[in-house]
Amino acid sequence: MSHSPADLLITGCTVLVHDDQERIGFEQDAAIVVRDGRVESVTSAADAVGLAAVERIEARGQVALPGLVNCHTHAPMVALRGLAEDLPTEEWFNDVVWPVESNLTEKDVELGARLACAEMIRAGVTCFADHYFSMDTVAAVVTECGLRAHLGEAYFSSQGPQGREKSLEFALRHRGTADGRITTALAPHAPYTVTDTDLAATAQLALEHGLPVHLHAAENRDQTDTSLARHGITPIEVLDRAGLLATDLLIAHGTGIIDRDLPVLERASGRIAVATAPRGYLKFAWPDTTPIRALRAIGIPVGLATDGAASNNSLDVWESMALTSLVQKSTEGDPRWLTSRQALHHATLQSARAVGLGDSIGCIAPGRRADIVLVDLTGPHTQPVHDLAATLVHSARSADVRTTIVDGRVLMRDRELLTLDVPAVVRELGERLPALVDRSHGRRIQEYDT
Amino acid sequence: MSHSPADLLITGCTVLVHDDQERIGFEQDAAIVVRDGRVESVTSAADAVGLAAVERIEARGQVALPGLVNCHTHAPMVALRGLAEDLPTEEWFNDVVWPVESNLTEKDVELGARLACAEMIRAGVTCFADHYFSMDTVAAVVTECGLRAHLGEAYFSSQGPQGREKSLEFALRHRGTADGRITTALAPHAPYTVTDTDLAATAQLALEHGLPVHLHAAENRDQTDTSLARHGITPIEVLDRAGLLATDLLIAHGTGIIDRDLPVLERASGRIAVATAPRGYLKFAWPDTTPIRALRAIGIPVGLATDGAASNNSLDVWESMALTSLVQKSTEGDPRWLTSRQALHHATLQSARAVGLGDSIGCIAPGRRADIVLVDLTGPHTQPVHDLAATLVHSARSADVRTTIVDGRVLMRDRELLTLDVPAVVRELGERLPALVDRSHGRRIQEYDT
């Protein structure tokens, strides 16, 4: 251990750790030493007593977890939170979201991204995978607020070849920026809005440039049924045919993945992952949820996500963690499936892998980036603690996160946001809402017709 | 309006109100005048400027809602939170909960009840329906902490006639105590643990003494199937045959209510209500949820509940409200069903009716008891507001409740609990846990065998 002061020392907490089999355990009375943005060591509180540090956080009664990862969202869509309620998917897209998005300005994206980042930092999210428009603006907000992000400029084939080119240009220009906190992906929207030709070209570009791909696919059973009726193959088979399963591919939702897709996914040469955002599937009354048990059986990581707040109403990954456990038990008809420890494995290592950061985040261990959240379990709703994993997944809430740290930098301390000014953002966004939500023009950016 | 000072004046908030068709609306820039534990008037903030009041709460940026009602719980079971995880119902009862409950002392019940009341006050619950043991102790805690409660001393037929007599004696002795905040019910456990003879005697006692009845029935489909196989009739038909549908009856769960039960319930002469606690149904992987749409079609109110924390992991009625909406949409396959306004109707008037308080709580209107919670919507996760009902149900969380008021008395102000000392309760309960959770004796209070 170095003798110069550590950058940050967190003492007295319980630390969620993974053993060499990736089983989750808890080190009590521990301390975390952070240097140069990384975890240098996890030691005992007693051993940390004499350590010098530039910044100290006394965290008794708190649990240190790897920061949550929102593996699929559209951060700026918080501006549309609550605007399209209680609608089927098609009306949600065609009658509200896509008409409103035709009004979207860079300023709206900026304010939406700021608000979303504030919400995520307060909810213990330290990294998010975003798939949206005007992503230069989102990248600037990420740089400023200190979060980690995996960003992709979304495109439809209706934009012509410029869409794909812009997505590539964005991915190459921003890759590794914000001191390495920004990683990038190519971001075709979905097989139902991007042609086979464009999907194949995207796969080629991904391999050529060493970029991952992030897209929506097999979002729901309707899309799978329509694909089968129109093309004779499923959306996953469309991806395979286009060569996308040879890339590092993050698939959003996948509730329409069916049995015949599983061998296709299993023999993929790329690293495939799926992001699940179960709240929205319930709200849209989709007949299925992400088939996590089947995906796990073929080794595919499933990360937790919220989707955008226009469908999910929040960016609360903590809620996604609890709902994933509950909905999986219910769907599989098996109360022993998706235990709290399994849910925490999804929330940590699997989510890190889903966004291509399986080697650098997702656990609190020497050498990993210091993306850490401290959760207060002294509230009456989290006491007593008979099973800490269950307390975290089923009793604690995102509001119990007191401190959020990314790359060793404290972004929220004792619930105070240090890098974003929420009232200012809300005020400025509020002035822009009438223009943003106007649908009198009759335009939409795209048509939903799977 | 009287010229003496009001007891409490809440100013500047938005107030959730019901119109004469029970439709939910929101009065902006409003004020609530409280006198003698009741709402005297809901007026405009401007009109309230000159009003004198003993206590004032400036609540700009907050929404005043009727306090939430937890329509079915076992408050002291918070002591067992997280103790029996990821188990099927039968193992949960027989291997953990009923063995542990054979250790239960009055002191455990007292500390559990205190912790539960603290949790509920912090989560915006102002009234709870409790169905448990040592209820004298729970009544004492309710009296002390200021909540409203609907209490019943639970009994099994295995206790002999003493069980039923004790339940009656409790109900008569405590009815109307705590300045009227305590109401009572007879509390047979369930048709699978209480004989037909005892159920019939309970119905007689209820009618004779003007008492309601609170029990578990048709909790899940297994129970209905077993009842049909053993007795040729459903649990609801068992209740009917015992005369219980002629009483004011609160049925917990009812996820095993089937089509043939609906006409039976519809022609009941008593006031029947059902309490739904959807989190636990998902966690136990029960195949159904409470059939709210069918129950609403025959005019039965469905109140929101959490059940005990040993199955639900929390007493968070706010989460029950959101989950009720989500699970109902999913189960009915209809995204337009159980809108946020419907969810708020369940959370307010229907929950009040479920606990027999439909005329005194459940809305903020002149003459109603002043059971009010103030919810802060300035956080980034609840902005912007396009649809206030959706914001409340799908974006806000129980932790956004800042102030909880019962009968005009402030029990939590700006998240500070004023009537309970959580650290002291947690410390004392912690010392008792090893004895409480010991199962080496091999006893259980009852056998689960539906």
Side-chain angles (χ1 to χ4, degrees):
Chain A
M1 197 170 287
S2 164
H3 288 285
S4 69
D7 294 323
L8 173 66
L9 180 62
I10 305 167
T11 58
C13 55
T14 296
V15 181
L16 185 154
V17 294
H18 298 79
D19 72 10
D20 55 10
Q21 317 259 299
E22 300 190 2
R23 283 176 305 217
I24 283 165
F26 297 98
E27 298 276 353
Q28 297 192 303
D29 281 319
I32 304 169
V33 183
V34 175
R35 197 185 298 273
D36 296 332
R38 292 179 192 272
V39 174
E40 183 175 88
S41 63
V42 177
T43 181
S44 70
D47 283 351
V49 167
L51 284 182
V54 175
E55 185 170 9
R56 307 178 82 95
I57 297 176
E58 163 53 44
R60 204 155 292 278
Q62 299 185 38
V63 179
L65 310 181
L68 296 174
V69 181
N70 192 344
C71 295
H72 175 75
T73 188
H74 315 285
M77 290 183 87
V78 294
L80 281 54
R81 189 197 313 272
L83 189 66
E85 291 295 299
D86 308 313
L87 294 176
T89 314
E90 190 175 333
E91 289 177 42
W92 182 88
F93 269 128
N94 287 337
D95 295 351
V96 186
V97 170
W98 279 345
V100 166
E101 285 185 336
S102 74
N103 300 327
L104 206 65
T105 67
E106 284 193 14
K107 190 70 190 173
D108 298 325
V109 167
E110 176 197 325
L111 294 168
R114 284 224 178 95
L115 189 61
C117 289
E119 178 180 356
M120 289 192 278
I121 293 169
R122 274 176 47 106
V125 173
T126 55
C127 178
F128 66 103
D130 205 358
H131 187 286
Y132 207 58
F133 313 105
S134 303
M135 293 300 288
D136 282 341
T137 308
V138 176
V141 170
V142 167
T143 303
E144 163 200 336
C145 77
L147 278 173
R148 189 181 305 286
H150 184 64
L151 306 178
E153 178 84 28
Y155 70 93
F156 305 110
S157 283
S158 58
Q159 293 168 269
Q162 291 82 354
R164 196 176 72 216
E165 286 157 21
K166 194 172 170 199
S167 194
L168 174 64
E169 191 273 328
F170 172 85
L172 294 174
R173 186 158 42 85
H174 286 278
R175 172 159 63 172
T177 59
D179 300 322
R181 297 197 318 276
I182 291 179
T183 53
T184 56
L186 299 175
H189 177 262
Y192 59 87
T193 50
V194 177
T195 63
D196 288 1
T197 308
D198 279 336
L199 291 175
T202 302
Q204 277 300 112
L205 293 170
L207 294 175
E208 185 180 330
H209 296 281
L211 285 166
V213 179
H214 178 186
L215 51 53
H216 306 86
E219 293 178 285
N220 54 45
R221 184 66 69 104
D222 268 358
Q223 292 178 6
T224 302
D225 292 345
T226 304
S227 180
L228 282 166
R230 290 198 186 158
H231 315 298
I233 58 176
T234 69
I236 297 299
E237 290 166 334
V238 169
L239 301 184
D240 188 32
R241 192 171 63 182
L244 281 165
L245 299 190
T247 72
D248 288 355
L249 184 66
L250 174 55
I251 298 171
H253 312 314
T255 81
I257 289 173
I258 58 177
D259 284 351
R260 69 187 259 185
D261 294 325
L262 297 172
V264 179
L265 290 167
E266 190 172 17
R267 66 171 173 263
S269 60
R271 283 184 298 194
I272 313 297
V274 175
T276 190
R279 185 183 227 285
Y281 317 150
L282 297 171
K283 192 147 180 260
F284 277 134
W286 288 354
D288 308 286
T289 195
T290 311
I292 294 182
R293 198 169 204 161
L295 292 167
R296 292 305 296 146
I298 58 172
I300 291 185
V302 179
L304 304 180
T306 65
D307 210 351
S311 57
N312 199 78
N313 298 74
S314 90
L315 306 180
D316 187 345
V317 178
W318 206 288
E319 185 191 53
S320 300
M321 175 168 66
L323 276 178
T324 294
S325 174
L326 295 171
V327 169
Q328 287 292 316
K329 286 173 186 292
S330 175
T331 305
E332 297 288 339
D334 182 358
R336 301 182 205 273
W337 167 249
L338 228 137
T339 64
S340 297
R341 279 181 158 73
Q342 286 177 282
L344 289 168
H345 191 263
H346 285 283
T348 57
L349 287 172
Q350 289 184 59
S351 290
R353 284 174 192 141
V355 298
L357 296 169
D359 296 328
S360 58
I361 62 168
C363 66
I364 300 177
R368 297 272 168 158
R369 305 306 308 177
D371 291 9
I372 298 166
V373 298
L374 300 174
V375 185
D376 181 1
L377 297 186
T378 61
H381 61 295
T382 46
Q383 289 292 328
V385 178
H386 290 292
D387 173 339
L388 185 48
T391 302
L392 288 168
V393 174
H394 290 297
S395 301
R397 300 287 186 266
S398 58
D400 296 316
V401 174
R402 295 209 61 83
T403 295
T404 300
I405 299 163
V406 176
D407 253 6
R409 179 184 177 198
V410 181
L411 307 185
M412 176 176 76
R413 187 161 194 157
D414 283 333
R415 303 232 22 95
E416 188 195 349
L417 291 171
L418 303 180
T419 61
L420 287 156
D421 178 353
V422 172
V425 172
V426 168
R427 199 163 48 238
E428 204 174 346
L429 181 60
E431 290 164 9
R432 305 181 64 87
L433 290 178
L436 179 59
V437 306
D438 174 49
R439 288 178 276 154
S440 63
H441 49 65
R443 294 189 307 272
R444 56 175 73 118
I445 57 164
Q446 181 70 32
E447 185 89 21
Y448 186 78
D449 170 24
T450 63
Chain B
M1 195 171 289
S2 162
H3 288 284
S4 67
D7 295 324
L8 174 66
L9 180 63
I10 305 167
T11 58
C13 55
T14 296
V15 181
L16 185 155
V17 294
H18 298 79
D19 72 9
D20 55 11
Q21 318 259 297
E22 300 191 1
R23 282 176 305 218
I24 283 165
F26 296 98
E27 297 276 353
Q28 297 192 305
D29 281 319
I32 303 170
V33 183
V34 175
R35 196 185 300 271
D36 296 330
R38 294 179 190 272
V39 174
E40 183 175 88
S41 63
V42 178
T43 180
S44 71
D47 283 351
V49 166
L51 284 182
V54 175
E55 186 170 8
R56 310 177 80 94
I57 296 176
E58 164 54 43
R60 204 155 294 278
Q62 300 185 38
V63 179
L65 310 182
L68 296 175
V69 181
N70 191 344
C71 295
H72 175 75
T73 189
H74 315 285
M77 291 184 86
V78 294
L80 280 52
R81 189 196 314 271
L83 188 66
E85 290 295 299
D86 307 314
L87 294 176
T89 314
E90 190 174 333
E91 290 176 42
W92 182 89
F93 269 127
N94 287 336
D95 296 351
V96 187
V97 171
W98 279 345
V100 166
E101 285 186 336
S102 74
N103 301 325
L104 206 66
T105 66
E106 282 193 15
K107 191 68 188 173
D108 298 325
V109 168
E110 177 197 323
L111 293 168
R114 282 223 180 95
L115 189 62
C117 288
E119 179 180 355
M120 289 192 279
I121 293 168
R122 273 175 49 105
V125 173
T126 54
C127 177
F128 65 104
D130 205 357
H131 187 287
Y132 207 57
F133 313 104
S134 304
M135 293 299 289
D136 282 342
T137 308
V138 176
V141 170
V142 167
T143 302
E144 163 200 335
C145 78
L147 278 174
R148 189 181 304 285
H150 183 65
L151 305 178
E153 178 84 28
Y155 71 94
F156 304 110
S157 282
S158 59
Q159 293 168 269
Q162 291 82 353
R164 194 176 74 216
E165 285 157 20
K166 194 173 169 199
S167 194
L168 175 64
E169 192 273 328
F170 172 85
L172 293 175
R173 187 158 43 84
H174 286 279
R175 172 159 62 173
T177 59
D179 300 322
R181 297 197 318 277
I182 292 180
T183 52
T184 56
L186 299 174
H189 177 263
Y192 58 89
T193 49
V194 177
T195 62
D196 288 1
T197 308
D198 278 337
L199 291 175
T202 302
Q204 277 302 111
L205 292 170
L207 294 175
E208 186 181 327
H209 295 282
L211 285 166
V213 179
H214 178 186
L215 50 54
H216 306 87
E219 292 178 284
N220 55 46
R221 185 67 69 105
D222 268 358
Q223 292 178 5
T224 302
D225 291 345
T226 304
S227 179
L228 282 165
R230 289 197 186 159
H231 315 298
I233 58 177
T234 69
I236 297 299
E237 290 165 333
V238 169
L239 301 183
D240 188 32
R241 191 171 64 182
L244 281 165
L245 298 191
T247 72
D248 288 355
L249 184 66
L250 173 55
I251 297 171
H253 311 314
T255 80
I257 290 173
I258 58 176
D259 284 351
R260 69 187 257 185
D261 293 325
L262 297 171
V264 179
L265 290 167
E266 189 171 18
R267 65 173 175 261
S269 59
R271 283 184 299 195
I272 314 297
V274 175
T276 191
R279 186 183 224 285
Y281 317 150
L282 297 171
K283 192 147 179 260
F284 278 133
W286 289 354
D288 308 285
T289 196
T290 311
I292 295 182
R293 198 170 204 162
L295 291 168
R296 292 305 296 147
I298 58 172
I300 291 186
V302 178
L304 304 180
T306 66
D307 210 351
S311 56
N312 198 78
N313 299 74
S314 90
L315 306 181
D316 186 344
V317 178
W318 205 289
E319 185 191 53
S320 300
M321 174 167 68
L323 276 178
T324 294
S325 174
L326 294 171
V327 170
Q328 287 292 317
K329 287 173 185 293
S330 175
T331 305
E332 298 287 339
D334 182 358
R336 300 183 206 273
W337 166 249
L338 227 137
T339 63
S340 296
R341 280 181 156 72
Q342 287 177 281
L344 289 168
H345 192 263
H346 284 283
T348 56
L349 287 172
Q350 288 184 58
S351 289
R353 283 173 193 143
V355 298
L357 296 169
D359 295 329
S360 57
I361 63 169
C363 66
I364 300 177
R368 298 271 168 160
R369 304 307 307 179
D371 291 11
I372 298 165
V373 298
L374 300 174
V375 186
D376 181 0
L377 297 186
T378 61
H381 61 296
T382 46
Q383 290 291 328
V385 178
H386 290 292
D387 174 339
L388 185 48
T391 302
L392 288 169
V393 173
H394 290 298
S395 301
R397 299 289 186 265
S398 58
D400 296 316
V401 174
R402 294 209 62 84
T403 296
T404 301
I405 299 163
V406 176
D407 253 7
R409 179 184 177 197
V410 181
L411 307 185
M412 176 175 76
R413 186 160 193 158
D414 283 333
R415 300 225 36 86
E416 187 196 350
L417 291 171
L418 303 180
T419 60
L420 287 156
D421 178 352
V422 172
V425 171
V426 168
R427 199 163 48 240
E428 203 175 347
L429 181 61
E431 291 164 8
R432 305 180 64 86
L433 290 178
L436 178 60
V437 305
D438 174 50
R439 287 178 278 156
S440 62
H441 49 64
R443 294 189 307 271
R444 56 176 73 117
I445 58 165
Q446 179 71 31
E447 184 89 21
Y448 185 79
D449 170 23
T450 63

